[in-house]
Amino acid sequence: EKTITDPAVLRTQVEEIAQRGYSTDIAELEEGLNCVAVPLPVPHLNFTGALSTSGPSVRFTPERIAELAGKLSETVKKIQDILAD
């Protein structure tokens, strides 16, 4: 029911995600379960993945999601540094 199926809405969402730097899943898979994810690009390995974390919506509030996105982004940088060595 919460899955985006309209191509125009999807394009808008992708643009917003690219600007923000992270994606969210707010009760899409299951009511009461939220997720935040950041991209994990590793160009020299021709690889793009993601890091994510999920939790109950009572703990994964919008403010907490933004904080976790920052922590995930820091972790991506550490992984990229390790892989670059």
Side-chain angles (χ1 to χ4, degrees):
E1 144 188 338
K2 295 184 181 182
T3 299
I4 299 168
T5 58
D6 181 300
V9 174
L10 180 60
R11 274 195 266 333
T12 300
Q13 288 284 323
V14 169
E15 290 170 6
E16 290 173 3
I17 290 164
Q19 285 184 328
R20 188 175 53 228
Y22 64 90
S23 177
T24 60
D25 169 348
I26 307 300
E28 184 177 339
L29 178 65
E30 184 176 324
E31 191 62 40
L33 180 66
N34 294 345
C35 176
V36 58
V38 298
L40 172 58
V42 186
H44 69 281
L45 295 178
N46 195 30
F47 172 82
T48 300
L51 288 181
S52 69
T53 186
S54 302
S57 58
V58 294
R59 290 199 316 239
F60 275 55
T61 62
E63 297 81 15
R64 182 71 173 138
I65 285 173
E67 178 185 341
L68 290 168
K71 291 181 183 293
L72 288 171
S73 293
E74 291 171 11
T75 303
V76 163
K77 288 180 182 132
K78 290 177 185 176
I79 292 169
Q80 290 172 324
D81 289 344
I82 290 167
L83 293 175
D85 290 341

